[in-house]
Amino acid sequence: MGSTDGIQADIASEIEVDAFRRLFPLRFYERHLSESVRPDARPLNKARDTSVALGAVSSADGSALVKIGHTTMLAAIKVEVMTPSLDSPDEGCLGIEFNMPPICSPSVRPGQTAELAPVISKQLSDSILSSGMINLKELSLISGKAAWMLYLDVYCLDADGALFDAALLAAVAALSHLRIPVVSVNDDGRVVAMAGEHVEGKSVREPINREKRKLTFSCIPFSLTCILHQKYILADPTAEEELIMETLVTVVLDLSGRLVSLYKLGGNLAYNSTVQDCVALTRRRVKELHQILNEAVSDMEVD
Amino acid sequence: MGSLVHYCSALVAAAGSIAAAVAALCLKKNFLLHSSLFFGHFGHENFKEVKQTTPLKSSPLHSLCPALLGSHTKTERNRETEMSSKSSSTTTMTTTYSPSPTVKNRQPIIKDVDWARPDKRGFHQCRPAYLNTGTVNAASGSAYVEFGSTKVIVSVFGPRESKKASMYSDIGRLNCNVSYTTFATHFRGQGTENKEISSMLHKALEGAIILESFPKTTVDVFALVLESGGSDLPVVISCASLALADAGIMMYDLVTSVSVSCLGSNLIIDPITEEETYQDGSLMITFMPSRREVTQLTLTGEWSTPRIHEAMQLCMDACCKLGEIMRSCLKDAAASSES
Amino acid sequence: MVGLSAGEKHFIKGGIDQDLRSDGRKRLTYRPISIETGVIPQANGSARLRMGDTDVIATVKAEIGKPSHLHPNRGKVAIFVDCSAIASPVFEGRGGEELSTELSVALQRCLLGGKSGAGAGIDLLSLNVMEGKICWDLYIEGLVINADGNLLDALGAAIKAALSNTGIPKVNVAAEFSAEEQPEVDISDEDFLRFDTSSVPVIITLTKVGKHYIVDATSEEESHMSSAISVSINSRGQICGLTKRGGAGVDPSVVLDMISVAKHVSEHFIMKLDSEISAAEADEAGS
């Protein structure tokens, strides 16, 4: 039967391996798991290579491109001005949406939204808003009259598993890259952008904020998705693994280790201890992700 | 006669001089540098001498000042959105508007004899291009193309079973779909599919694909415009044909496309959004360089026949150059995947 | 769309090679055109055009609107085409959407000129009422009642006829108003401004069958085509828009050749169309 180590360069056995992988995927994976390794040579608790790049799209006010293995997400923020609601006149608003365009996966058809898209959209929105990362009061311009509305759109460019993790990281990275533009109020009471960054001699209009500013964050959420299968926990699954093994647990923690959200939607029963193990894995991952994000942000500042 | 078209040479040395020239304008850290990390495979710039292709180590700098230009929005069939003010967008709960100014600060361009293009290109110079295949792992074939600030990703799926077709057909079907992200244009859009551009993409490609090679099945070509910086449809078409080649779909020839704008008495090639808004006429050609055939030609505005001839010649030269660059990109991709 | 057997296709192609089409016309001859104007009284302007069996109606409606920020001294025009299910059962529901979009885009391209407004068939400056505040919005609709080939030419000609039939009411703006409010507008019922349609272009579609070009193809001939070019030419002989239809590739010299043939045909066609339109107007005025 198919050999588990593809080290043998024998063509006959390679073809057999591929066929075995297609025909009996679960057995293929279990043979790997019994050796505590996965087909792409990762140990069970290791996530794929992650990279973050800020400023991907120049037409948006803040943007980020995140790649975890092959999963690629592009997040971008556009700021617009809105009138705040009556019961919170000092607060702006953050609208988060996750889209899966048809390019990302063969299962997505144009004209129909993918099944996963609204689910991840809601999870993303909940995680970011409940973590308290953004202080909505910072987004206020004129109390009661004008406030910033941030439209954060995350597009999946390539879907290869662990979509929520990549989306959350992309959203957080885009928010770190965001620069609120310099604006002032013109005669009609509308808020207009000031041309250029140097505001000199414009005595008629007073700018509301002197320079392009960044938002301050109180606690940044990071996440890790794990798959539970029998007694194994696989961190950061690929799309193939997600298809075969059904039980997904997503843990969202912030930097200080506090739990922001925990998602376990359906699948088999999970024991308390297993969930604790997932949380421990996430804790380690959070540190990695934080470091990657900081490097990306400091790369941007240098230029 | 030398060719009418020359491209920005983007060798690293030359990039230095370009960098000096654009230092005065806003610089944004380019997607390109990081995309080379992600996509792993380096694309090519448009060169005068096509043979010199160096991998992109330094990011070619985009010299456009964003956020001051009111660009045209893509309109849907819905009358209300077409006729309504361009600077408002509606959400389900609140009405928001963008603070960016909509009035252009460059008014009659035509009267200005010494008018230079905003990004300091010559009239017959295309933007530097970055081409890359194999970007999307989940697709049969994919390509990513950047022309200046116009960034497009195209994925090709197939040949696969078609859900729509119910009748037997002994030739394959082509299904095209182009959509914009909400942040692609200057003012936030709706992010929906653009039917006009989708159908134009379909017409441009169907003449080039050998449909008989995949009977009963469908090839799906999906495009996503990440950022729209002008001349969107030609870039989408070129990217789509790269993606089709990457997927191994049989074609008669690569399809390349370039558009030319007429501003007053000047013909400028590969216009950006600002130039397109003020153009007096435009000509877009989709060309198969090796077979020397035009698969699609659209023209707007008022033209005289010699003008049309001149513009077509210009476009076809540019298309041939672009075709060579696309070929070398594909050859490099094939070579690196073998090694 | 009609399905043709191989024998029929061969017959059509052979006939065209010998300058004799199935209905007895020469290659560059149009079918007889008949125009009626004012068929829809509620619209500001309307016309019905029959070109052989192809039957289309074009209507023009004008409404007061606000000009766009980019061009505050111009009106706005929107063109839509509807392929109704009357023409063919294929057009029912969303079936005709693709064809409608293609025709609408082609008409917009031909009639509206470049983005800056240069070369437009319709003079948008004349639609301005008050700069930056009030302008006329024209909604031009085309309805296809019977489709027997050459829809684009028929629609273009019908729109030209409808525009010459259009009356834009005179508008009196209240003299005093503050900068913020919308000024009061008094639309008169009596006086009308007529449109000047001498610069509205006509669209000529040339279909390439084998080695020759034919004009005004019927739907049988269209199903046999390899490629077609629709050229919009105005009375001054300038090309106002061009679309290549059909998927097959075509040599660029062929394109230029077709443009010159189209120009040649257009002179004759424009004269014929103008005389038909004025005859139709005369009929309407008389009745």
Side-chain angles (χ1 to χ4, degrees):
Chain A
M1 283 303 280
S3 139
T4 50
D5 44 66
I7 300 171
Q8 292 175 354
D10 193 338
I11 304 237
S13 71
E14 264 190 36
I15 292 178
E16 282 216 69
V17 166
D18 277 343
F20 189 61
R21 190 177 188 156
R22 283 293 178 95
L23 295 171
F24 308 104
L26 201 51
R27 276 165 53 183
F28 178 78
Y29 270 90
E30 281 175 359
R31 293 210 53 170
H32 282 79
L33 293 177
S34 59
E35 314 276 339
S36 296
V37 83
R38 288 145 88 164
D40 53 1
R42 278 190 285 159
L44 296 186
N45 54 4
K46 189 161 176 318
R48 292 171 286 183
D49 292 336
T50 313
S51 41
V52 174
L54 302 180
V57 174
S58 54
S59 60
D61 300 295
S63 57
L65 178 79
V66 163
K67 233 170 126 98
I68 299 186
H70 284 303
T71 303
T72 313
M73 296 278 166
L74 177 65
I77 304 181
K78 273 194 135 1
V79 296
E80 296 205 346
V81 180
M82 68 172 207
T83 28
S85 66
L86 288 171
D87 36 319
S88 48
D90 283 322
E91 288 185 357
C93 191
L94 176 61
I96 305 179
E97 207 180 312
F98 177 75
N99 297 291
M100 284 183 72
I103 57 165
C104 73
S105 154
S107 54
V108 180
R109 298 275 166 177
Q112 305 160 348
T113 48
E115 269 180 31
L116 267 183
V119 173
I120 297 187
S121 195
K122 184 87 175 51
Q123 284 179 351
L124 203 57
S125 185
D126 285 345
S127 296
I128 293 188
L129 291 174
S130 63
S131 71
M133 176 179 169
I134 306 272
N135 180 4
L136 291 178
K137 297 216 184 326
E138 269 192 347
L139 298 177
S140 168
L141 279 171
I142 308 172
S143 173
K145 295 253 183 63
W148 288 116
M149 170 94 186
L150 302 182
Y151 288 106
L152 171 60
D153 294 296
V154 184
Y155 277 83
C156 177
L157 300 181
D158 194 353
D160 194 24
L163 296 180
F164 177 76
D165 295 346
L168 184 62
L169 186 59
V172 160
L175 284 165
S176 336
H177 179 246
L178 175 67
R179 298 275 184 281
I180 308 264
V182 182
V183 288
S184 65
V185 187
N186 75 359
D187 307 323
D188 292 334
R190 273 176 73 100
V191 178
V192 275
M194 306 291 294
E197 306 220 11
H198 309 291
V199 185
E200 303 150 0
K202 293 253 181 185
S203 54
V204 181
R205 306 185 208 152
E206 269 300 307
I208 296 178
N209 43 336
R210 279 278 148 196
E211 54 182 15
K212 287 194 171 201
R213 62 182 168 94
K214 299 173 61 165
L215 297 176
T216 54
F217 305 128
S218 49
C219 63
I220 307 181
F222 296 101
S223 76
L224 179 68
T225 307
C226 303
I227 277 195
L228 310 177
H229 181 71
Q230 296 173 0
K231 57 180 192 306
Y232 305 108
I233 302 177
L234 282 74
D236 192 22
T238 62
E240 198 187 348
E241 289 163 0
E242 277 184 0
L243 266 180
I244 307 167
M245 302 175 247
E246 284 176 346
T247 315
L248 283 172
V249 173
T250 305
V251 181
V252 184
L253 297 179
D254 73 4
L255 274 174
S256 51
R258 290 180 312 169
L259 185 68
V260 173
S261 322
L262 179 88
Y263 296 104
K264 182 194 170 305
L265 304 167
N268 298 329
L269 301 174
Y271 293 106
N272 198 355
S273 55
T274 332
V275 175
Q276 298 280 13
D277 289 339
C278 292
V279 174
L281 281 176
T282 314
R283 225 170 246 135
R284 274 202 346 229
R285 175 80 172 143
V286 162
K287 294 201 182 63
E288 278 172 37
L289 289 177
H290 183 66
Q291 196 193 6
I292 294 175
L293 186 61
N294 279 344
E295 275 171 19
V297 170
S298 55
D299 277 344
M300 278 299 302
E301 316 252 284
V302 163
D303 303 323
Chain B
M1 279 175 73
S3 99
L4 296 171
V5 180
H6 42 271
Y7 288 78
C8 254
S9 143
L11 297 172
V12 176
S17 62
I18 298 174
V22 302
L25 304 170
C26 312
L27 299 178
K28 293 248 162 136
K29 181 69 178 184
N30 193 352
F31 186 20
L32 236 47
L33 179 61
H34 305 287
S35 63
S36 65
L37 298 172
F38 295 121
F39 301 136
H41 167 86
F42 296 102
H44 304 280
E45 296 275 328
N46 284 334
F47 297 100
K48 215 174 190 153
E49 302 87 16
V50 180
K51 297 220 179 63
Q52 285 170 327
T53 56
T54 54
L56 246 64
K57 290 281 171 33
S58 72
S59 56
L61 303 164
H62 293 307
S63 53
L64 289 176
C65 257
L68 292 179
L69 313 172
S71 69
H72 62 279
T73 54
K74 298 278 175 245
T75 52
E76 309 252 340
R77 204 196 152 146
N78 185 354
R79 279 180 204 182
E80 278 75 44
T81 53
E82 223 175 52
M83 296 302 192
S84 68
S85 158
K86 281 181 189 160
S87 64
S88 74
S89 69
T90 45
T91 61
T92 49
M93 295 186 301
T94 52
T95 312
T96 61
Y97 60 90
S98 170
S100 300
T102 53
V103 179
K104 287 271 208 303
N105 46 8
R106 270 171 170 275
Q107 276 294 330
I109 294 180
I110 306 147
K111 297 190 186 144
D112 191 355
V113 179
D114 294 324
W115 175 67
R117 297 175 80 169
D119 49 357
K120 308 283 190 288
R121 282 185 282 151
F123 285 166
H124 295 172
Q125 202 174 3
C126 286
R127 291 174 285 190
Y130 174 78
L131 306 152
N132 186 292
T133 54
T135 19
V136 174
N137 192 257
S140 316
S142 59
Y144 168 71
V145 167
E146 260 190 52
F147 262 82
S149 66
T150 304
K151 302 179 172 108
V152 177
I153 290 190
V154 174
S155 295
V156 169
F157 294 100
R160 60 177 177 179
E161 178 204 353
S162 45
K163 302 272 158 65
K164 277 193 217 169
S166 47
M167 287 187 348
Y168 171 82
S169 82
D170 54 358
I171 57 169
R173 276 185 67 236
L174 175 67
N175 180 27
C176 294
N177 188 287
V178 178
S179 57
Y180 278 69
T181 55
T182 53
F183 44 84
T185 50
H186 182 64
F187 292 109
R188 187 168 184 266
Q190 294 298 315
T192 51
E193 173 200 343
N194 191 313
K195 292 210 166 70
E196 294 167 17
I197 296 199
S198 304
S199 74
M200 291 176 81
L201 177 64
H202 187 277
K203 288 200 299 195
L205 292 176
E206 69 179 349
I209 300 182
I210 304 180
L211 293 169
E212 292 82 11
S213 64
F214 49 93
K216 300 185 279 190
T217 50
T218 299
V219 164
D220 289 317
V221 177
F222 298 135
L224 182 69
V225 179
L226 299 176
E227 195 181 337
S228 152
S231 208
D232 296 338
L233 181 58
V235 176
V236 169
I237 292 176
S238 309
C239 189
S241 79
L242 257 186
L244 283 166
D246 186 49
I249 308 280
M250 293 188 70
M251 296 197 285
Y252 291 114
D253 191 9
L254 283 179
V255 181
T256 57
S257 170
V258 162
S259 76
V260 146
S261 254
C262 175
L263 277 168
S265 55
N266 301 318
L267 281 179
I268 56 175
I269 203 170
D270 199 14
I272 55 173
T273 325
E274 191 192 356
E275 292 160 355
E276 276 185 340
T277 324
Y278 281 121
Q279 69 189 3
D280 288 331
S282 79
L283 174 89
M284 188 202 77
I285 279 197
T286 320
F287 191 60
M288 295 201 278
S290 311
R291 290 171 64 105
R292 296 205 64 83
E293 275 182 11
V294 171
T295 55
Q296 200 180 41
L297 173 64
T298 51
L299 193 147
T300 58
E302 206 172 346
W303 295 73
S304 60
T305 315
R307 218 69 205 297
I308 296 183
H309 190 86
E310 191 192 334
M312 276 178 67
Q313 203 52 49
L314 195 60
C315 283
M316 292 195 301
D317 281 339
C319 285
C320 290
K321 276 275 167 73
L322 184 55
E324 282 167 23
I325 290 169
M326 282 164 64
R327 265 175 216 281
S328 58
C329 172
L330 288 168
K331 276 190 209 152
D332 285 351
S336 63
S337 64
E338 275 165 30
S339 59
Chain C
M1 287 296 129
V2 166
L4 293 179
S5 69
E8 283 175 309
K9 287 188 188 157
H10 191 70
F11 179 75
I12 291 177
K13 187 160 180 296
I16 290 172
D17 281 341
Q18 296 183 16
D19 203 13
L20 183 67
R21 291 153 75 170
S22 315
D23 48 6
R25 285 183 285 155
K26 291 207 171 298
R27 289 197 282 260
L28 299 179
T29 314
Y30 269 87
R31 286 174 285 186
I33 301 176
S34 79
I35 304 183
E36 286 167 42
T37 52
V39 290
I40 303 203
Q42 306 98 306
N44 291 78
S46 60
R48 178 180 183 183
L49 185 138
R50 262 169 292 213
M51 197 185 271
D53 276 339
T54 299
D55 198 347
V56 300
I57 292 186
T59 57
V60 178
K61 283 208 167 101
E63 285 174 13
I64 296 275
K66 200 162 181 285
S68 78
H69 289 271
L70 288 174
H71 305 289
N73 59 347
R74 281 203 238 141
K76 304 199 281 286
V77 176
I79 305 183
F80 298 110
V81 173
D82 184 20
C83 293
S84 87
I86 305 173
S88 155
V90 172
F91 294 154
E92 192 200 335
R94 299 194 61 177
E97 207 177 298
E98 206 183 301
L99 183 60
S100 309
T101 322
E102 191 190 325
L103 291 171
S104 310
V105 167
L107 284 168
Q108 274 173 352
R109 189 176 294 134
C110 295
L111 292 173
L112 295 180
K115 290 264 171 60
S116 72
I122 305 172
D123 184 14
L124 293 175
L125 291 170
S126 65
L127 293 177
N128 178 41
V129 175
M130 179 179 301
E131 180 156 341
K133 298 253 183 225
I134 308 178
C135 71
W136 282 109
D137 290 342
L138 282 188
Y139 294 98
I140 303 183
E141 296 244 0
L143 178 66
V144 175
I145 298 179
N146 195 23
D148 189 25
N150 209 19
L151 285 173
L152 194 55
D153 292 14
L155 282 165
I159 289 178
K160 187 171 165 122
L163 281 171
S164 60
N165 180 242
T166 303
I168 308 275
K170 284 227 174 72
V171 173
N172 291 321
V173 185
E176 286 159 23
F177 57 91
S178 70
E180 293 221 359
E181 288 168 9
Q182 282 292 99
E184 291 200 6
V185 173
D186 177 29
I187 303 180
S188 104
D189 285 328
E190 302 285 329
D191 305 321
F192 287 89
L193 286 168
R194 289 271 148 184
F195 248 111
D196 174 22
T197 53
S198 58
S199 57
V200 176
V202 292
I203 306 180
I204 312 266
T205 302
L206 277 174
T207 311
K208 183 167 190 289
V209 177
K211 281 207 273 288
H212 302 276
Y213 316 127
I214 55 172
V215 104
D216 195 13
T218 61
S219 55
E220 275 181 2
E221 290 163 341
E222 263 184 6
S223 60
H224 189 51
M225 76 169 178
S226 55
S227 54
I229 286 200
S230 297
V231 186
S232 154
I233 306 182
N234 66 11
S235 45
R236 289 197 300 273
Q238 302 272 49
I239 313 268
C240 300
L242 192 153
T243 318
K244 180 190 170 299
R245 325 235 312 272
V250 115
D251 198 76
S253 56
V254 168
V255 171
L256 292 167
D257 195 27
M258 284 168 107
I259 292 177
S260 60
V261 170
K263 262 175 120 162
H264 175 71
V265 173
S266 72
E267 292 156 9
H268 190 67
F269 184 60
I270 289 179
M271 267 177 10
K272 194 162 155 211
L273 190 62
D274 281 340
S275 65
E276 287 290 328
I277 292 178
S278 36
E281 299 259 294
D283 277 342
E284 193 201 346
S287 65

